């Protein structure tokens, strides 16, 4: 069966607005609190903290800014080692370099595609006394083995930074992701499950952490009548207009998650009996299904007959956007020479990267469009 080209592009994951966003933005304009901070920022912080069940939140310009402040606050200095998820977006690990720390990359596990607790323990032993922090990401909205990871960090006296940029509203053993670390980061970038057009938050149980984050995020001004600085600050606070968009989106987070989940299960059913697997998760967790992904079975992918790139191009030809799996950090030219810790002689991240692809997961995609996408994918295997 030949599928027609989509008239309207089907996106990987694009913003979905509802109307309330504009109400909150309008309020900011009406009261002239367009900038800098203001009611939307205060309320957005409170609403997110309440939603997650965490005590304190600082709204920032980006998720990357949140990760940067987390690395700063964890005390990472020149030459300090930070053990990082390897299979992730560069934004997870770049902030270590902003502080002149050194990333050590820790391989992914098959069960969740996230940092392997076993490899992490190997890394913690190897870098005992040298590692300052661990940064663990929840890839594509699937929670990592967060309690095991948090336990390991506690046992080895290393701060945990949870990168929940992709996993807002996902839970692990009933608890929200973005609450397991001493420092937790989320993102409201344009393609995330909800968006403020751009933005992020740093979350912590500790009031001191968030106080210090706000201080550093507003140029680190000392308590003096003139502009005096004893520390190096940044300009990282979220604007009140942006926070208004975020507040409107938050009202629809559950609905977005439900739709993402439906998309995932439609792919799973539609791709059944093909030599592929969908991205896995643990029974004790509930992902937010931000992106639906698949991996092509080893033999077939190895033979080069069906490849992720082949599927990507077939979808692109019909005007649908898909994306390669994040290229592991230890394979990035930027990080050549960094240590990479893996177990059982197997580079899991590389394998997932070589056989995997992120499928169109936009919640505005219709069932009919998705059925056609499934047919296009099936066509690649004929
Ligand atoms: C999007 C993302 C970030 C960065 O968030 P921004 O708000 O875009 O700066 C960090 N880590 C991961 C895993 C992400 O997907």
């Amino acid at each position: 069966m030949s599928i027609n080209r989509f008239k309207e592009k089907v996106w990987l994951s694009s913003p979905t607005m509802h109307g309330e966003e504009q109400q909150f933005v309008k309020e900011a304009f009406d009261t002239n609190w367009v900038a800098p901070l203001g009611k939307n920022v205060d309320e957005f912080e409170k609403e997110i903290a309440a939603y997650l069940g965490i005590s304190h939140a600082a709204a920032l310009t980006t998720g990357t800014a949140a990760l940067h402040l987390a690395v700063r606050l964890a005390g990472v200095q020149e030459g300090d080692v930070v053990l990082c998820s390897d299979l992730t977006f560069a934004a997870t690990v770049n902030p270590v370099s902003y502080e002149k720390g050194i990333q050590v990359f820790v391989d992914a596990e098959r069960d969740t595609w996230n940092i392997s607790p076993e490899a992490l323990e190997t890394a913690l032993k190897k870098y005992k006394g040298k590692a300052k922090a661990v940064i663990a990401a929840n890839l594509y909205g699937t929670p990592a083995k967060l309690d095991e990871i948090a336990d390991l960090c506690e046992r080895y006296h290393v701060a945990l930074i949870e990168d929940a940029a992709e996993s807002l509203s996902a839970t692990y053993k009933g608890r929200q992701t973005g609450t397991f670390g001493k420092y937790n980061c989320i993102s409201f970038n344009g393609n995330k499950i909800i968006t403020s057009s751009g933005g992020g938050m740093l979350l912590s149980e500790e009031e001191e952490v968030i106080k210090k984050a706000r201080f550093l995020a507003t140029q680190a001004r000392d308590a003096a009548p003139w502009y005096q600085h004893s520390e190096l600050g940044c300009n990282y606070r979220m604007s009140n207009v942006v926070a208004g968009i975020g507040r409107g989106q938050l009202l629809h987070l559950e609905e977005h998650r439900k739709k993402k989940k439906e998309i995932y299960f439609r792919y799973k059913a539609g791709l059944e009996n093909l030599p592929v697997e969908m991205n896995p998760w643990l029974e004790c967790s509930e992902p937010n299904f931000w992106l639906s992904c698949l991996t092509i079975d080893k033999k077939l992918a190895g033979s080069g007959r069906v490849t992720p790139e082949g599927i990507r191009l077939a979808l692109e030809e019909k005007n649908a956007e898909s994306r390669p799996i994040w290229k592991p950090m230890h394979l990035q030219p930027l990080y050549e020479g960094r240590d990479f810790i893996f177990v059982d002689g197997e580079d899991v991240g590389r394998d997932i990267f070589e056989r995997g692809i992120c499928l169109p997961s936009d919640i505005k995609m219709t069932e009919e469009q998705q059925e056609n996408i499934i047919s296009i994918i099936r066509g690649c295997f004929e």
Side-chain angles (χ1 to χ4, degrees), residues 1 5 44 51 77 93 132 146 213 216 317 328 350 353 374 381:
M1 187 181 62
R5 195 167 190 277
F44 193 31
Y51 176 84
Q77 290 180 348
V93 309
K132 264 270 164 68
L146 289 165
L216 292 173
E317 198 189 309
R350 178 184 207 127
F353 166 64
I374 289 166
F381 289 84

Side-chain angles (χ1 to χ4, degrees), residues 51 141-144 146 167-177 180 257 281-288:
Y51 176 84
T142 300
L146 289 165
S167 68
L168 181 62
S169 80
T171 56
Y172 182 78
K173 297 187 177 171
R175 177 168 154 195
Q176 289 284 335
T177 62
F180 285 82
R257 201 175 67 80
W281 81 93
L282 300 175
E283 281 292 321
C284 64
S285 73
E286 178 69 18
N288 71 2

Side-chain angles (χ1 to χ4, degrees), residues 29-332:
F29 273 72
D30 289 347
T31 56
N32 201 34
W33 280 103
V34 292
L37 297 159
K39 183 180 162 201
N40 280 336
V41 173
D42 296 342
E43 293 300 315
F44 193 31
E45 288 177 344
K46 278 187 211 146
E47 288 159 3
I48 287 281
Y51 176 84
L52 295 178
I54 197 162
S55 303
H56 305 282
L60 303 165
T61 45
T62 61
T64 308
L67 283 155
H68 183 199
L69 290 180
V71 168
R72 262 294 281 283
L73 292 164
V76 174
Q77 290 180 348
E78 188 160 0
D80 286 339
V81 166
V82 179
L83 308 176
C84 303
S85 285
D86 176 63
L87 183 61
T88 185
F89 183 39
T92 304
V93 309
N94 285 345
V96 175
S97 294
Y98 302 165
E99 293 301 318
K100 302 189 171 65
I102 298 166
Q103 299 87 346
V104 166
F105 299 118
V106 181
D107 199 10
E109 58 173 3
R110 297 227 175 259
D111 323 9
T112 69
W113 293 9
N114 291 307
I115 193 167
S116 150
E118 199 188 336
L120 178 60
E121 181 151 27
T122 306
L124 284 162
K125 280 182 183 146
K126 181 168 176 183
Y127 289 96
K128 206 169 173 179
K130 292 202 190 86
K132 264 270 164 68
V134 168
I135 308 181
N138 303 304
L139 210 67
Y140 302 129
T142 300
K145 288 180 182 156
L146 289 165
D147 54 355
E148 285 181 51
I149 293 164
D151 280 353
L152 281 169
C153 289
E154 204 172 298
R155 240 186 315 129
Y156 287 84
H157 308 291
V158 171
L160 174 59
I161 299 171
E162 192 190 339
D163 179 358
E166 299 178 358
S167 68
L168 181 62
S169 80
T171 56
Y172 182 78
K173 297 187 177 171
R175 177 168 154 195
Q176 289 284 335
T177 62
T179 65
F180 285 82
K182 176 168 181 182
Y183 311 94
N184 305 280
C185 306
I186 55 177
S187 165
F188 308 107
N189 187 19
N191 65 14
K192 299 295 196 296
I193 191 156
I194 59 169
T195 180
S196 59
S197 81
M201 256 188 222
L202 181 71
L203 307 144
S204 180
E205 266 316 318
E206 296 177 30
E207 190 176 5
E208 275 311 303
V209 164
I210 297 303
K211 254 191 171 158
K212 188 77 199 265
R214 291 200 179 113
F215 168 76
L216 292 173
T218 47
Q219 310 284 23
R221 269 188 75 183
D222 291 343
W226 43 82
Y227 280 80
Q228 177 178 298
H229 308 272
S230 313
E231 276 187 80
L232 183 62
C234 313
N235 185 5
Y236 276 172
R237 280 293 255 164
M238 184 182 275
S239 100
N240 201 46
V241 172
V242 161
I245 304 173
R247 289 183 75 194
Q249 285 273 286
L250 184 55
L251 300 171
H252 296 273
L253 178 53
E254 286 307 317
E255 170 193 334
H256 286 199
R257 201 175 67 80
K258 194 166 152 270
K259 288 195 172 149
K260 293 275 191 191
K261 186 174 180 175
E262 284 166 8
I263 289 170
Y264 179 95
F265 279 97
R266 249 182 258 137
Y267 277 128
K268 198 171 172 89
L271 299 171
E272 220 189 341
N273 66 40
L274 280 187
V276 300
E277 270 178 75
M278 298 289 293
N279 46 328
W281 81 93
L282 300 175
E283 281 292 321
C284 64
S285 73
E286 178 69 18
N288 71 2
F289 301 96
W290 174 53
L291 294 185
S292 291
C293 310
L294 64 75
T295 48
I296 302 163
D297 283 3
K298 259 191 187 144
K299 257 203 189 129
L300 196 59
S303 75
R305 206 166 65 71
V306 187
T307 61
E309 184 58 7
I311 296 176
R312 194 186 71 76
L313 291 172
L315 289 168
E316 188 176 87
E317 198 189 309
K318 302 289 185 189
N319 207 19
E321 184 190 24
S322 61
R323 181 158 86 182
I325 298 292
W326 300 125
K327 182 174 181 175
M329 290 302 118
H330 78 282
L331 299 176
Q332 298 289 348

